[in-house]
Amino acid sequence: MRRIVLLFSFFTLLLASCGTGGQSGNSAETTITGYILEIGERILVNEHIIGAEFETKTDQEIYDEYYYSSIFFNVSSIDKSVVSKLEVGQKVKIVVDGGIAESAPAQAKASKVEIVEE
């Protein structure tokens, strides 16, 4: 009988430790603040570049140095009036819709784009 109780206790402990660690409540939204390097069907944004580099480096130098550490954002769900105001070299704050795909450069979908005044 003692063996059965020990075995039952062991399996109960084992099952309890294998449970999922689900989170409750709202998850924090991911935001990225950076500078626009390219605009097309998507926008390429880099959060490592410094705004002054747009004045001291050529477009090609910036592109070569920061392309692979940037994120392409799909902006198809963003209001066209906002997207039409975007310019290369502009600082923006982007709210990410979902996750960020790990690639070079990374890829994500934007749920909100806000121009940051400097």
Side-chain angles (χ1 to χ4, degrees), residues 29-104:
E29 39 178 52
T30 302
T31 59
I32 303 291
T33 301
Y35 288 89
I36 298 174
L37 302 183
E38 181 182 309
I39 300 174
E41 292 181 17
R42 306 176 295 175
I43 60 171
L44 184 64
V45 175
N46 190 286
E47 58 188 329
H48 306 292
I49 193 169
I50 299 167
E53 290 181 85
F54 285 98
E55 297 171 16
T56 60
K57 294 182 177 181
T58 67
D59 291 345
Q60 190 62 50
E61 288 173 323
I62 290 171
Y63 196 79
D64 290 345
E65 185 173 344
Y66 292 104
Y67 180 78
Y68 291 108
S69 63
S70 299
I71 303 172
F72 264 119
F73 285 98
N74 178 329
V75 290
S76 62
S77 63
I78 304 300
D79 189 291
K80 301 299 179 207
S81 66
V82 173
V83 175
S84 68
K85 295 177 186 173
L86 300 178
E87 299 174 3
V88 171
Q90 207 168 36
K91 189 171 187 178
V92 290
K93 180 178 178 181
I94 299 177
V95 177
V96 179
D97 182 8
I100 299 175
E102 294 182 25
S103 57

Side-chain angles (χ1 to χ4, degrees), residues 5-18:
V5 170
L6 283 174
L7 214 57
F8 179 75
S9 298
F10 173 76
F11 283 116
T12 303
L13 180 62
L14 182 67
L15 288 174
S17 66
C18 292

